[in-house]
Amino acid sequence: QVQVVESGGGLVQAGGSLRLSCTASGLTFDDHAMGWFRQAPGKQREGVSCISWSGGSTHYADSVKGRFTISRDNAKNTLYLQMNSLKPEDTAMYYCAARFWSDTYDHCSGSWSSIYEYNYWGQGTQVTVSS
């Protein structure tokens, strides 16, 4: 049974930092590209970032470029999202998702921000940024 569990959310002041973690079990972690999504109240879930199976390729939403960094440790089956210079508009539930990757090329592009491309999801971790 596949389990995806996020952690690391919390309340932080604007300008602060948080590091989210996501641990996946029950799947071959390095057979999957990984993504971070977020959903604010009353809004659709949106893609934040993705990372290829090896970690060699990443993509970011324009709204977080230069502030967020995605990374992964395949030996620990763990995905990370380092979030710096947080803004109140970053407040949302953050979700980790796994996407089975059969392509031999090491990338995560190709509809990376579409929720329909991902096979497994976590329950989310809340990030709240106060002004």
Side-chain angles (χ1 to χ4, degrees):
Q1 184 178 353
V2 175
Q3 285 192 313
V4 178
V5 180
E6 303 93 337
S7 62
L11 174 63
V12 64
Q13 288 190 330
S17 298
L18 281 175
R19 189 194 196 200
L20 305 184
S21 298
C22 167
T23 301
S25 60
L27 53 73
T28 303
F29 191 65
D30 56 8
D31 278 348
H32 292 74
M34 300 296 294
W36 284 103
F37 288 74
R38 66 186 181 187
Q39 188 167 19
K43 294 189 176 182
Q44 289 188 330
R45 194 170 297 191
E46 63 174 359
V48 173
S49 182
C50 75
I51 188 167
S52 64
W53 63 267
S54 76
S57 176
T58 59
H59 290 275
Y60 295 91
D62 288 343
S63 58
V64 307
K65 277 181 184 175
R67 300 188 299 121
F68 291 10
T69 303
I70 191 171
S71 62
R72 65 189 292 165
D73 184 338
N74 286 347
K76 296 182 179 179
N77 280 20
T78 302
L79 174 73
Y80 303 100
L81 185 68
Q82 178 67 44
M83 305 186 295
N84 298 330
S85 302
L86 282 161
K87 305 175 181 179
E89 51 263 44
D90 294 318
T91 295
M93 185 72 79
Y94 282 71
Y95 298 90
C96 170
R99 177 181 181 182
F100 179 69
W101 198 259
S102 59
D103 193 334
T104 55
Y105 293 103
D106 183 30
H107 63 90
C108 63
S109 59
S111 302
W112 74 266
S113 60
S114 170
I115 63 173
Y116 303 106
E117 296 295 328
Y118 292 79
N119 307 100
Y120 305 105
W121 291 83
Q123 294 300 306
T125 185
Q126 178 67 38
V127 172
T128 302
V129 184
S130 63
S131 56

